Amino acid sequence: MRGKRQFWIKIVAISAISFAALRCTPALTGVLINDGEAATNTRQVVLRLDVSALRASDSPTQYKASESKSFTGAVWQTYTSPNVNFTLSAGNGLKTVYVKLRNAAAQESLVRSDTIYLAETTPAKWMRAVDMSLNSSDEGYGIASTGDGAYVAGGLTIPSGGDGTSQVALVKLTANGAPTAIETFGDPTHNEILNVVRQTLDGGIIAAGGIYDGGTGNTHVFATKYTRNLDPVWFDTYPLGDLPADPPAKSGSALTSYAADVLVLASGGYIVAGTQGYNAIDASTGNMFLLRLDGDGNQVDFRTYSEAGAVRLGNGVAETNDGGLILAGQRIQGGVSQAYLIKVVASLTNRTTDLSVLWSKAVYGDLASAIVPAPDGGVVYCGFTAVGHDNLNDSFVARVTLDGVQDNAFGQAFGGGGVDRLTALAQDSDGGYVLAGSSSSYAKGSQAYLVKTDPQGMLVFFDTYGDTNTDDAKSVAVAPDGGYAMAGFTETGAGPREGDFFVVKTDSLGHTGTSIQP
Protein backbone atom coordinates (compact mmCIF):
# COMPACT_ATOMS: atom_id res chain seq x y z
CA MET A 1 0.00 0.00 0.00
CA ARG A 2 1.32 3.39 -0.99
CA GLY A 3 2.94 5.18 1.96
CA LYS A 4 1.52 2.73 4.46
CA ARG A 5 3.09 0.51 7.05
CA GLN A 6 1.29 -1.97 9.22
CA PHE A 7 2.05 -2.45 12.88
CA TRP A 8 0.91 -5.41 14.93
CA ILE A 9 1.47 -5.54 18.64
CA LYS A 10 0.82 -8.46 20.93
CA ILE A 11 2.29 -8.42 24.40
CA VAL A 12 2.96 -11.97 25.52
CA ALA A 13 4.07 -12.86 29.02
CA ILE A 14 5.16 -16.38 29.99
CA SER A 15 5.22 -16.46 33.75
CA ALA A 16 8.20 -17.63 35.73
CA ILE A 17 7.90 -21.02 37.36
CA SER A 18 6.27 -20.43 40.70
CA PHE A 19 6.62 -22.67 43.70
CA ALA A 20 3.04 -23.77 43.16
CA ALA A 21 3.86 -24.82 39.59
CA LEU A 22 6.91 -26.79 40.76
CA ARG A 23 4.78 -28.68 43.22
CA CYS A 24 2.27 -29.48 40.48
CA THR A 25 4.11 -31.82 38.10
CA PRO A 26 4.61 -31.66 35.21
CA ALA A 27 5.04 -27.86 35.18
CA LEU A 28 3.31 -26.02 32.33
CA THR A 29 4.68 -22.48 32.48
CA GLY A 30 3.07 -21.01 29.37
CA VAL A 31 1.26 -21.54 26.08
CA LEU A 32 1.43 -19.58 22.82
CA ILE A 33 -0.99 -19.84 19.91
CA ASN A 34 0.84 -19.67 16.57
CA ASP A 35 3.98 -18.44 18.35
CA GLY A 36 2.19 -15.42 19.78
CA GLU A 37 0.50 -14.07 16.66
CA ALA A 38 -2.30 -11.61 17.29
CA ALA A 39 -4.64 -12.94 14.62
CA THR A 40 -5.24 -15.77 12.16
CA ASN A 41 -7.57 -16.39 9.23
CA THR A 42 -7.76 -20.16 9.73
CA ARG A 43 -9.23 -22.28 12.50
CA GLN A 44 -6.23 -24.64 12.44
CA VAL A 45 -3.58 -23.34 14.87
CA VAL A 46 -0.54 -24.68 16.71
CA LEU A 47 -0.21 -24.45 20.49
CA ARG A 48 3.40 -24.17 21.67
CA LEU A 49 3.63 -25.44 25.24
CA ASP A 50 6.39 -24.29 27.57
CA VAL A 51 7.00 -27.41 29.67
CA SER A 52 9.55 -28.20 32.37
CA ALA A 53 10.09 -31.40 34.33
CA LEU A 54 12.44 -31.73 37.28
CA ARG A 55 12.62 -35.52 36.90
CA ALA A 56 11.95 -37.98 34.12
CA SER A 57 8.91 -39.21 36.02
CA ASP A 58 7.47 -35.68 35.85
CA SER A 59 7.40 -35.63 32.06
CA PRO A 60 3.90 -35.14 30.62
CA THR A 61 2.17 -38.07 28.99
CA GLN A 62 -1.14 -36.39 28.15
CA TYR A 63 -2.59 -32.95 27.49
CA LYS A 64 -6.05 -31.46 27.39
CA ALA A 65 -6.92 -28.31 25.36
CA SER A 66 -10.23 -26.49 25.19
CA GLU A 67 -11.85 -23.09 24.65
CA SER A 68 -13.80 -23.80 27.84
CA LYS A 69 -12.06 -22.77 31.05
CA SER A 70 -13.63 -25.79 32.75
CA PHE A 71 -12.56 -28.05 29.81
CA THR A 72 -16.17 -29.03 29.14
CA GLY A 73 -16.26 -31.76 26.49
CA ALA A 74 -12.46 -31.99 26.19
CA VAL A 75 -10.66 -35.34 26.47
CA TRP A 76 -7.08 -36.20 27.36
CA GLN A 77 -4.81 -36.59 24.31
CA THR A 78 -1.42 -38.31 24.08
CA TYR A 79 1.45 -35.86 24.54
CA THR A 80 4.31 -36.38 22.08
CA SER A 81 5.60 -32.85 21.40
CA PRO A 82 5.40 -29.33 22.85
CA ASN A 83 3.82 -28.25 19.54
CA VAL A 84 0.17 -29.31 19.56
CA ASN A 85 -2.39 -28.88 16.77
CA PHE A 86 -5.75 -27.39 17.75
CA THR A 87 -8.93 -26.42 15.89
CA LEU A 88 -10.60 -23.19 16.97
CA SER A 89 -14.38 -22.92 17.13
CA ALA A 90 -16.11 -21.45 14.08
CA GLY A 91 -16.98 -17.77 13.85
CA ASN A 92 -14.90 -14.61 13.74
CA GLY A 93 -13.78 -13.15 17.04
CA LEU A 94 -11.33 -13.39 19.92
CA LYS A 95 -10.58 -17.00 20.91
CA THR A 96 -9.06 -18.17 24.20
CA VAL A 97 -7.52 -21.65 24.44
CA TYR A 98 -6.87 -23.30 27.84
CA VAL A 99 -4.32 -26.11 28.24
CA LYS A 100 -3.23 -28.44 31.05
CA LEU A 101 -0.93 -31.48 31.25
CA ARG A 102 -0.66 -34.62 33.35
CA ASN A 103 2.02 -37.28 33.86
CA ALA A 104 1.88 -41.07 34.17
CA ALA A 105 0.94 -40.74 37.84
CA ALA A 106 -2.12 -38.65 36.82
CA GLN A 107 -0.64 -35.52 38.43
CA GLU A 108 -1.96 -32.43 36.63
CA SER A 109 -0.25 -29.14 35.84
CA LEU A 110 -1.66 -25.69 36.35
CA VAL A 111 -3.91 -24.37 33.59
CA ARG A 112 -2.37 -21.90 31.11
CA SER A 113 -4.06 -20.00 28.28
CA ASP A 114 -3.50 -17.70 25.33
CA THR A 115 -5.74 -15.71 22.97
CA ILE A 116 -5.86 -15.09 19.22
CA TYR A 117 -8.28 -13.24 16.96
CA LEU A 118 -9.94 -15.43 14.30
CA ALA A 119 -11.02 -13.82 11.03
CA GLU A 120 -12.20 -16.82 9.04
CA THR A 121 -14.15 -14.95 6.38
CA THR A 122 -12.68 -12.47 3.89
CA PRO A 123 -14.67 -9.22 3.99
CA ALA A 124 -14.35 -6.57 1.30
CA LYS A 125 -11.31 -4.27 1.65
CA TRP A 126 -10.85 -0.85 0.07
CA MET A 127 -9.96 2.83 0.62
CA ARG A 128 -11.81 5.51 -1.29
CA ALA A 129 -11.36 9.28 -1.72
CA VAL A 130 -14.71 10.80 -2.75
CA ASP A 131 -14.92 14.28 -4.28
CA MET A 132 -18.46 15.46 -3.52
CA SER A 133 -18.35 18.01 -6.35
CA LEU A 134 -15.68 19.19 -8.77
CA ASN A 135 -12.68 20.60 -6.85
CA SER A 136 -14.70 20.93 -3.64
CA SER A 137 -13.24 20.69 -0.15
CA ASP A 138 -14.94 17.80 1.63
CA GLU A 139 -14.75 16.12 5.01
CA GLY A 140 -16.56 13.02 6.28
CA TYR A 141 -17.82 12.88 9.86
CA GLY A 142 -20.21 9.92 10.02
CA ILE A 143 -20.76 6.50 8.47
CA ALA A 144 -23.38 3.76 8.77
CA SER A 145 -24.17 0.52 7.00
CA THR A 146 -27.54 0.22 5.31
CA GLY A 147 -29.94 -2.67 5.12
CA ASP A 148 -28.71 -3.67 1.64
CA GLY A 149 -25.07 -4.22 2.64
CA ALA A 150 -23.90 -0.82 1.42
CA TYR A 151 -22.72 2.26 3.35
CA VAL A 152 -23.67 5.91 3.67
CA ALA A 153 -21.05 8.45 4.73
CA GLY A 154 -21.88 12.04 5.61
CA GLY A 155 -20.17 15.30 6.43
CA LEU A 156 -19.64 18.66 4.78
CA THR A 157 -18.64 20.03 1.40
CA ILE A 158 -17.34 23.49 0.52
CA PRO A 159 -18.09 24.00 -3.18
CA SER A 160 -15.36 25.39 -5.39
CA GLY A 161 -15.79 29.03 -6.40
CA GLY A 162 -18.19 29.86 -3.56
CA ASP A 163 -17.79 32.15 -0.59
CA GLY A 164 -16.43 29.35 1.61
CA THR A 165 -19.66 28.36 3.33
CA SER A 166 -20.20 24.64 3.91
CA GLN A 167 -23.12 22.44 2.97
CA VAL A 168 -24.30 19.02 4.11
CA ALA A 169 -23.02 16.13 1.98
CA LEU A 170 -23.96 12.44 1.86
CA VAL A 171 -22.64 9.64 -0.33
CA LYS A 172 -23.79 6.05 -0.73
CA LEU A 173 -21.15 3.42 -1.52
CA THR A 174 -21.59 -0.22 -2.48
CA ALA A 175 -20.14 -3.06 -0.42
CA ASN A 176 -17.06 -2.80 -2.68
CA GLY A 177 -16.69 0.96 -2.26
CA ALA A 178 -18.17 2.29 -5.50
CA PRO A 179 -20.12 5.57 -5.03
CA THR A 180 -23.68 5.20 -6.36
CA ALA A 181 -25.42 8.36 -5.12
CA ILE A 182 -24.37 11.76 -3.78
CA GLU A 183 -26.69 14.18 -2.00
CA THR A 184 -25.82 17.74 -0.98
CA PHE A 185 -28.06 20.43 0.41
CA GLY A 186 -27.83 23.78 2.12
CA ASP A 187 -28.50 27.50 1.87
CA PRO A 188 -25.65 29.56 0.36
CA THR A 189 -26.02 32.07 3.21
CA HIS A 190 -25.68 29.35 5.87
CA ASN A 191 -22.88 27.20 7.21
CA GLU A 192 -24.07 23.60 7.57
CA ILE A 193 -22.18 20.64 8.95
CA LEU A 194 -23.29 17.03 9.42
CA ASN A 195 -21.61 15.30 12.38
CA VAL A 196 -23.26 11.90 12.72
CA VAL A 197 -24.90 9.18 10.59
CA ARG A 198 -26.76 6.20 12.09
CA GLN A 199 -28.66 3.28 10.58
CA THR A 200 -32.40 3.34 11.30
CA LEU A 201 -34.66 0.41 12.05
CA ASP A 202 -35.85 0.23 8.43
CA GLY A 203 -32.32 0.11 6.97
CA GLY A 204 -32.24 3.79 6.06
CA ILE A 205 -30.18 6.46 7.82
CA ILE A 206 -30.69 9.39 10.16
CA ALA A 207 -28.13 12.21 10.14
CA ALA A 208 -27.77 15.27 12.34
CA GLY A 209 -25.57 18.33 12.78
CA GLY A 210 -25.76 22.10 13.01
CA ILE A 211 -26.65 25.15 10.90
CA TYR A 212 -25.48 28.75 11.23
CA ASP A 213 -27.93 31.22 9.69
CA GLY A 214 -25.92 34.09 8.24
CA GLY A 215 -29.02 36.25 7.93
CA THR A 216 -30.11 36.20 11.55
CA GLY A 217 -26.91 35.17 13.31
CA ASN A 218 -28.75 32.27 15.00
CA THR A 219 -27.74 28.63 15.03
CA HIS A 220 -29.93 25.54 14.93
CA VAL A 221 -29.57 21.82 15.33
CA PHE A 222 -30.93 19.79 12.43
CA ALA A 223 -31.85 16.15 11.84
CA THR A 224 -32.80 14.44 8.60
CA LYS A 225 -34.04 11.00 7.60
CA TYR A 226 -33.21 9.26 4.31
CA THR A 227 -34.00 5.90 2.77
CA ARG A 228 -31.13 3.49 2.10
CA ASN A 229 -31.05 4.89 -1.47
CA LEU A 230 -30.64 8.48 -0.23
CA ASP A 231 -34.22 9.48 -0.98
CA PRO A 232 -35.24 12.19 1.55
CA VAL A 233 -37.95 11.26 4.06
CA TRP A 234 -38.00 14.27 6.39
CA PHE A 235 -35.86 17.20 7.53
CA ASP A 236 -36.33 19.49 10.52
CA THR A 237 -34.47 22.12 12.54
CA TYR A 238 -34.54 22.71 16.29
CA PRO A 239 -33.66 26.23 17.54
CA LEU A 240 -33.09 25.03 21.16
CA GLY A 241 -33.69 28.56 22.45
CA ASP A 242 -30.40 29.97 21.13
CA LEU A 243 -29.48 33.61 21.42
CA PRO A 244 -27.76 35.32 18.47
CA ALA A 245 -24.13 34.25 18.33
CA ASP A 246 -20.94 35.51 16.73
CA PRO A 247 -20.51 34.08 13.23
CA PRO A 248 -18.39 30.93 13.21
CA ALA A 249 -15.41 30.34 10.98
CA LYS A 250 -16.22 29.74 7.33
CA SER A 251 -15.10 26.13 7.67
CA GLY A 252 -18.21 25.34 9.68
CA SER A 253 -16.10 23.97 12.51
CA ALA A 254 -17.20 26.62 15.04
CA LEU A 255 -20.97 26.18 14.97
CA THR A 256 -22.52 27.42 18.20
CA SER A 257 -25.14 24.68 18.58
CA TYR A 258 -24.80 21.27 16.99
CA ALA A 259 -25.81 17.64 17.24
CA ALA A 260 -22.90 15.27 17.89
CA ASP A 261 -24.61 11.89 18.29
CA VAL A 262 -27.93 10.15 17.62
CA LEU A 263 -29.33 7.15 19.48
CA VAL A 264 -31.88 5.10 17.52
CA LEU A 265 -34.59 3.85 19.88
CA ALA A 266 -36.36 0.51 19.60
CA SER A 267 -39.63 2.47 19.65
CA GLY A 268 -38.69 4.08 16.35
CA GLY A 269 -37.82 7.49 17.79
CA TYR A 270 -34.43 9.10 18.37
CA ILE A 271 -32.33 10.75 21.06
CA VAL A 272 -30.07 13.53 19.77
CA ALA A 273 -27.13 14.68 21.92
CA GLY A 274 -24.83 17.63 21.47
CA THR A 275 -23.88 21.14 22.53
CA GLN A 276 -26.00 24.28 22.86
CA GLY A 277 -24.74 27.86 22.93
CA TYR A 278 -21.00 27.16 22.63
CA ASN A 279 -18.90 30.29 22.17
CA ALA A 280 -16.15 29.00 19.90
CA ILE A 281 -14.28 32.29 20.02
CA ASP A 282 -13.25 32.12 23.67
CA ALA A 283 -14.91 28.90 24.95
CA SER A 284 -16.78 30.95 27.54
CA THR A 285 -20.22 29.35 27.23
CA GLY A 286 -21.69 25.98 26.32
CA ASN A 287 -24.20 23.44 27.60
CA MET A 288 -24.78 19.76 26.93
CA PHE A 289 -28.24 18.91 25.63
CA LEU A 290 -30.53 15.96 24.92
CA LEU A 291 -33.34 16.18 22.38
CA ARG A 292 -35.94 13.46 21.93
CA LEU A 293 -37.65 13.08 18.54
CA ASP A 294 -40.44 10.79 17.39
CA GLY A 295 -40.08 8.65 14.28
CA ASP A 296 -41.12 11.55 12.05
CA GLY A 297 -38.60 14.00 13.48
CA ASN A 298 -41.07 15.90 15.68
CA GLN A 299 -39.64 17.24 18.94
CA VAL A 300 -40.95 15.36 21.98
CA ASP A 301 -38.66 16.57 24.78
CA PHE A 302 -35.61 18.76 25.23
CA ARG A 303 -33.28 19.41 28.16
CA THR A 304 -30.03 21.34 28.60
CA TYR A 305 -27.44 20.56 31.27
CA SER A 306 -25.58 23.67 32.37
CA GLU A 307 -23.26 24.60 35.22
CA ALA A 308 -22.47 28.09 36.48
CA GLY A 309 -18.87 29.03 35.73
CA ALA A 310 -18.21 25.98 33.56
CA VAL A 311 -18.58 24.97 29.92
CA ARG A 312 -20.09 21.58 29.09
CA LEU A 313 -19.79 20.12 25.59
CA GLY A 314 -21.79 17.03 24.59
CA ASN A 315 -20.16 14.45 22.32
CA GLY A 316 -22.13 11.21 22.71
CA VAL A 317 -25.00 9.38 24.37
CA ALA A 318 -25.60 5.72 25.31
CA GLU A 319 -28.68 3.89 26.61
CA THR A 320 -28.24 1.94 29.87
CA ASN A 321 -29.97 -1.31 30.79
CA ASP A 322 -32.11 0.43 33.43
CA GLY A 323 -33.86 2.47 30.73
CA GLY A 324 -31.76 5.60 31.33
CA LEU A 325 -29.14 7.48 29.36
CA ILE A 326 -25.55 8.55 29.96
CA LEU A 327 -24.39 11.69 28.17
CA ALA A 328 -20.65 12.00 27.56
CA GLY A 329 -18.46 14.94 26.69
CA GLN A 330 -16.18 17.58 28.14
CA ARG A 331 -16.25 20.00 31.05
CA ILE A 332 -14.04 23.10 30.97
CA GLN A 333 -13.55 25.32 34.00
CA GLY A 334 -10.68 27.66 34.72
CA GLY A 335 -8.84 26.44 31.64
CA VAL A 336 -8.90 22.82 32.88
CA SER A 337 -10.60 20.22 30.68
CA GLN A 338 -12.12 17.00 32.05
CA ALA A 339 -13.98 14.06 30.55
CA TYR A 340 -17.52 14.36 31.89
CA LEU A 341 -20.56 12.07 32.18
CA ILE A 342 -24.18 12.80 33.11
CA LYS A 343 -26.60 9.98 34.04
CA VAL A 344 -30.16 10.82 33.08
CA VAL A 345 -33.56 9.27 33.84
CA ALA A 346 -35.10 8.66 30.44
CA SER A 347 -38.34 6.56 30.56
CA LEU A 348 -37.82 5.83 26.88
CA THR A 349 -40.78 3.49 26.60
CA ASN A 350 -43.15 6.36 27.45
CA ARG A 351 -44.25 9.22 25.22
CA THR A 352 -43.03 11.73 27.83
CA THR A 353 -39.34 11.60 28.66
CA ASP A 354 -38.07 12.59 32.10
CA LEU A 355 -34.46 13.55 31.25
CA SER A 356 -33.74 14.59 34.85
CA VAL A 357 -30.21 14.13 36.25
CA LEU A 358 -29.36 11.21 38.53
CA TRP A 359 -25.67 12.02 38.78
CA SER A 360 -22.93 13.91 36.94
CA LYS A 361 -19.20 13.64 37.42
CA ALA A 362 -15.76 14.11 35.95
CA VAL A 363 -14.14 10.80 34.96
CA TYR A 364 -10.76 9.68 33.67
CA GLY A 365 -9.41 11.71 30.77
CA ASP A 366 -9.47 15.25 29.46
CA LEU A 367 -12.32 14.58 27.05
CA ALA A 368 -14.86 11.81 26.38
CA SER A 369 -15.33 11.77 22.62
CA ALA A 370 -17.68 8.79 22.19
CA ILE A 371 -19.65 6.35 24.34
CA VAL A 372 -21.38 2.96 23.98
CA PRO A 373 -23.24 0.66 26.41
CA ALA A 374 -21.30 -2.00 28.30
CA PRO A 375 -22.82 -5.51 28.54
CA ASP A 376 -23.17 -5.30 32.34
CA GLY A 377 -25.18 -2.05 32.24
CA GLY A 378 -22.38 0.48 32.59
CA VAL A 379 -20.78 2.36 29.70
CA VAL A 380 -17.49 2.34 27.80
CA TYR A 381 -16.11 5.63 26.50
CA CYS A 382 -13.02 6.79 24.65
CA GLY A 383 -11.12 10.05 24.47
CA PHE A 384 -7.67 11.47 25.02
CA THR A 385 -5.73 12.74 27.96
CA ALA A 386 -2.66 14.80 28.84
CA VAL A 387 -0.69 13.02 31.57
CA GLY A 388 2.76 14.54 31.64
CA HIS A 389 4.68 15.61 28.57
CA ASP A 390 5.37 12.09 27.32
CA ASN A 391 1.67 11.20 27.03
CA LEU A 392 0.41 14.58 25.93
CA ASN A 393 -1.86 13.25 23.21
CA ASP A 394 -2.41 9.61 24.12
CA SER A 395 -5.89 8.21 23.59
CA PHE A 396 -7.65 5.68 25.78
CA VAL A 397 -10.71 3.52 26.28
CA ALA A 398 -12.28 3.35 29.76
CA ARG A 399 -15.38 2.06 31.54
CA VAL A 400 -17.66 3.23 34.35
CA THR A 401 -20.41 1.32 36.14
CA LEU A 402 -24.08 2.22 36.11
CA ASP A 403 -23.40 4.26 39.26
CA GLY A 404 -20.52 6.13 37.69
CA VAL A 405 -17.69 4.25 39.41
CA GLN A 406 -14.49 4.08 37.34
CA ASP A 407 -13.45 0.51 36.50
CA ASN A 408 -9.68 0.67 36.91
CA ALA A 409 -9.26 -2.91 35.69
CA PHE A 410 -10.71 -2.06 32.26
CA GLY A 411 -9.00 -0.51 29.26
CA GLN A 412 -5.67 1.06 28.50
CA ALA A 413 -3.99 4.01 26.76
CA PHE A 414 -3.01 3.86 23.09
CA GLY A 415 -0.46 5.76 21.04
CA GLY A 416 3.20 6.43 20.54
CA GLY A 417 5.42 9.48 20.43
CA GLY A 418 3.16 11.59 18.23
CA VAL A 419 -0.35 12.98 18.40
CA ASP A 420 -2.92 10.19 18.86
CA ARG A 421 -6.63 10.91 19.13
CA LEU A 422 -9.51 8.45 19.13
CA THR A 423 -12.80 10.15 18.40
CA ALA A 424 -15.12 7.26 17.48
CA LEU A 425 -16.17 4.04 19.20
CA ALA A 426 -18.37 1.03 18.41
CA GLN A 427 -19.02 -2.28 20.12
CA ASP A 428 -17.89 -5.28 18.07
CA SER A 429 -19.83 -8.50 17.59
CA ASP A 430 -17.32 -10.46 19.69
CA GLY A 431 -17.94 -8.28 22.77
CA GLY A 432 -14.82 -6.20 22.18
CA TYR A 433 -14.58 -2.65 20.89
CA VAL A 434 -13.30 -0.86 17.80
CA LEU A 435 -12.09 2.75 17.88
CA ALA A 436 -11.06 5.22 15.19
CA GLY A 437 -9.31 8.56 14.95
CA SER A 438 -5.94 9.87 13.82
CA SER A 439 -2.31 9.24 14.72
CA SER A 440 1.06 10.73 13.81
CA SER A 441 3.03 8.19 15.84
CA TYR A 442 3.52 5.46 13.26
CA ALA A 443 3.98 7.09 9.85
CA LYS A 444 4.98 10.32 8.16
CA GLY A 445 2.33 12.89 8.97
CA SER A 446 -1.08 12.13 10.42
CA GLN A 447 -3.03 9.08 9.27
CA ALA A 448 -6.39 7.50 9.99
CA TYR A 449 -6.09 5.20 13.00
CA LEU A 450 -8.03 2.03 13.89
CA VAL A 451 -7.75 0.24 17.25
CA LYS A 452 -9.35 -3.12 18.05
CA THR A 453 -9.68 -4.27 21.69
CA ASP A 454 -10.94 -7.34 23.51
CA PRO A 455 -13.99 -7.20 25.84
CA GLN A 456 -11.74 -5.85 28.64
CA GLY A 457 -10.53 -2.94 26.55
CA MET A 458 -7.06 -4.40 26.00
CA LEU A 459 -5.31 -4.05 22.64
CA VAL A 460 -5.79 -6.80 20.05
CA PHE A 461 -4.37 -4.90 17.07
CA PHE A 462 -4.10 -1.45 15.54
CA ASP A 463 -3.33 -0.06 12.10
CA THR A 464 -3.03 3.24 10.26
CA TYR A 465 -4.39 4.24 6.84
CA GLY A 466 -3.61 6.86 4.22
CA ASP A 467 -0.62 8.18 2.34
CA THR A 468 1.92 10.93 2.97
CA ASN A 469 -0.76 13.63 3.22
CA THR A 470 -2.99 14.30 6.22
CA ASP A 471 -5.67 11.63 6.73
CA ASP A 472 -8.03 11.00 9.61
CA ALA A 473 -11.12 9.04 10.64
CA LYS A 474 -14.02 10.71 12.44
CA SER A 475 -16.35 7.72 12.71
CA VAL A 476 -16.35 3.93 12.70
CA ALA A 477 -18.98 1.24 12.19
CA VAL A 478 -18.90 -2.55 12.43
CA ALA A 479 -19.66 -3.85 8.95
CA PRO A 480 -22.17 -6.64 8.28
CA ASP A 481 -19.37 -8.84 6.85
CA GLY A 482 -17.33 -8.65 10.06
CA GLY A 483 -14.96 -5.89 8.93
CA TYR A 484 -14.90 -2.21 9.86
CA ALA A 485 -15.90 0.96 8.00
CA MET A 486 -14.50 4.43 8.72
CA ALA A 487 -15.23 7.90 7.34
CA GLY A 488 -13.03 10.98 7.60
CA PHE A 489 -10.81 13.29 5.61
CA THR A 490 -7.93 12.88 3.18
CA GLU A 491 -5.87 15.85 2.06
CA THR A 492 -5.70 16.34 -1.71
CA GLY A 493 -4.53 19.94 -2.21
CA ALA A 494 -2.41 22.73 -0.79
CA GLY A 495 -5.22 24.77 0.75
CA PRO A 496 -6.13 24.64 4.44
CA ARG A 497 -9.20 22.46 3.83
CA GLU A 498 -8.67 21.07 0.34
CA GLY A 499 -9.54 17.40 0.55
CA ASP A 500 -12.08 14.64 -0.02
CA PHE A 501 -14.24 12.30 1.97
CA PHE A 502 -11.98 9.44 3.09
CA VAL A 503 -13.91 6.17 3.38
CA VAL A 504 -12.05 3.04 4.50
CA LYS A 505 -13.36 -0.52 4.59
CA THR A 506 -11.17 -3.13 6.29
CA ASP A 507 -11.48 -6.82 6.95
CA SER A 508 -11.84 -8.07 10.53
CA LEU A 509 -8.05 -7.87 11.02
CA GLY A 510 -7.88 -4.22 10.00
CA HIS A 511 -6.37 -4.89 6.55
CA THR A 512 -7.26 -2.97 3.40
CA GLY A 513 -4.68 -4.38 1.00
CA THR A 514 -5.01 -1.46 -1.42
CA SER A 515 -4.03 2.15 -1.99
CA ILE A 516 -6.52 5.03 -1.94
CA GLN A 517 -8.81 4.88 -4.98
CA PRO A 518 -10.46 8.03 -6.44
Side-chain angles (χ1 to χ4, degrees):
M1 182 183 302
R2 176 165 53 111
K4 176 177 180 289
R5 296 178 62 192
Q6 295 182 358
F7 294 80
W8 292 82
I9 293 178
K10 184 169 183 179
I11 300 173
V12 179
I14 300 179
S15 62
I17 303 175
S18 66
F19 288 112
L22 290 173
R23 290 194 302 266
C24 191
T25 56
L28 177 62
T29 58
V31 57
L32 292 178
I33 305 175
N34 285 358
D35 285 325
E37 289 184 355
T40 179
N41 58 11
T42 176
R43 293 173 59 194
Q44 307 303 317
V45 296
V46 176
L47 312 179
R48 180 166 65 83
L49 311 183
D50 191 354
V51 180
S52 61
L54 298 181
R55 299 164 301 183
S57 60
D58 296 332
S59 298
T61 58
Q62 293 180 307
Y63 75 91
K64 185 180 284 190
S66 174
E67 290 183 49
S68 167
K69 194 172 185 179
S70 60
F71 293 88
T72 302
V75 297
W76 288 105
Q77 304 285 332
T78 300
Y79 177 90
T80 59
S81 166
N83 296 317
V84 173
N85 294 323
F86 184 81
T87 302
L88 300 171
S89 59
N92 292 345
L94 195 66
K95 308 292 184 178
T96 301
V97 180
Y98 302 89
V99 181
K100 62 181 177 179
L101 305 173
R102 73 178 181 184
N103 61 14
Q107 294 173 308
E108 296 185 10
S109 71
L110 297 178
V111 176
R112 304 296 184 186
S113 66
D114 192 24
T115 59
I116 195 166
Y117 192 87
L118 173 63
E120 194 174 6
T121 58
T122 307
K125 302 180 291 184
W126 42 266
M127 294 193 295
R128 178 79 63 175
V130 183
D131 191 4
M132 303 305 288
S133 61
L134 183 63
N135 296 325
S136 60
S137 295
D138 313 308
E139 186 162 357
Y141 282 89
I143 192 166
S145 61
T146 56
D148 55 358
Y151 305 92
V152 171
L156 65 84
T157 182
I158 303 175
S160 175
D163 64 356
T165 55
S166 61
Q167 297 179 341
V168 170
L170 292 160
V171 57
K172 181 173 181 178
L173 304 103
T174 67
N176 292 318
T180 59
I182 291 177
E183 174 81 6
T184 63
F185 66 87
D187 188 311
T189 65
H190 296 172
N191 253 323
E192 293 112 345
I193 182 171
L194 184 154
N195 288 321
V196 57
V197 180
R198 300 292 186 207
Q199 183 181 9
T200 54
L201 299 178
D202 60 2
I205 60 107
I206 182 171
I211 299 173
Y212 167 71
D213 185 336
T216 65
N218 289 329
T219 62
H220 306 277
V221 167
F222 78 86
T224 184
K225 172 80 167 60
Y226 281 82
T227 69
R228 66 185 60 177
N229 295 318
L230 286 188
D231 299 317
V233 178
W234 54 259
F235 171 89
D236 213 338
T237 61
Y238 312 93
L240 306 189
D242 281 348
L243 297 174
D246 292 328
K250 288 293 186 180
S251 67
S253 61
L255 288 168
T256 303
S257 293
Y258 53 87
D261 196 9
V262 175
L263 179 64
V264 179
L265 303 177
S267 62
Y270 310 97
I271 296 289
V272 181
T275 298
Q276 177 215 36
Y278 176 51
N279 186 330
I281 306 301
D282 59 8
S284 59
T285 62
N287 306 317
M288 293 181 176
F289 78 79
L290 289 175
L291 169 68
R292 183 174 180 180
L293 309 177
D294 65 17
D296 297 318
N298 300 307
Q299 182 172 324
V300 177
D301 284 293
F302 168 68
R303 179 72 63 91
T304 59
Y305 304 93
S306 61
E307 179 183 352
V311 174
R312 293 178 172 182
L313 308 179
N315 293 327
V317 63
E319 187 174 1
T320 53
N321 65 0
D322 62 354
L325 301 168
I326 293 184
L327 179 60
Q330 181 181 14
R331 178 181 182 271
I332 305 171
Q333 185 175 39
V336 177
S337 176
Q338 298 172 300
Y340 203 72
L341 303 181
I342 300 176
K343 176 70 166 66
V344 172
V345 179
S347 304
L348 298 177
T349 58
N350 300 324
R351 171 71 180 177
T352 302
T353 312
D354 189 336
L355 299 183
S356 60
V357 176
L358 280 177
W359 52 258
S360 60
K361 60 178 61 180
V363 291
Y364 175 79
D366 295 330
L367 176 147
S369 53
I371 187 170
V372 296
D376 63 354
V379 291
V380 171
Y381 67 97
C382 70
F384 63 88
T385 187
V387 183
H389 296 292
D390 292 337
N391 298 315
L392 183 59
N393 289 288
D394 273 359
S395 292
F396 66 88
V397 62
R399 175 188 171 275
V400 298
T401 68
L402 198 59
D403 298 323
V405 177
Q406 197 86 48
D407 181 358
N408 294 323
F410 180 96
Q412 67 176 90
F414 309 99
V419 176
D420 308 284
R421 294 189 174 183
L422 293 171
T423 56
L425 170 67
Q427 187 165 23
D428 206 349
S429 57
D430 65 355
Y433 302 90
V434 60
L435 307 96
S438 63
S439 173
S440 63
S441 292
Y442 308 106
K444 182 180 179 180
S446 179
Q447 292 193 314
Y449 185 36
L450 179 72
V451 173
K452 164 66 181 164
T453 79
D454 65 14
Q456 295 304 311
M458 303 304 291
L459 180 67
V460 175
F461 65 78
F462 73 88
D463 212 338
T464 57
Y465 310 87
D467 52 26
T468 57
N469 295 321
T470 298
D471 310 281
D472 71 7
K474 300 290 188 183
S475 61
V476 65
V478 177
D481 62 7
Y484 309 109
M486 296 179 285
F489 168 83
T490 183
E491 185 181 44
T492 57
R497 289 187 60 84
E498 290 186 15
D500 290 336
F501 270 39
F502 187 35
V503 188
V504 180
K505 172 63 177 61
T506 78
D507 63 16
S508 54
L509 300 179
H511 298 150
T512 59
T514 180
S515 58
I516 301 175
Q517 303 298 311

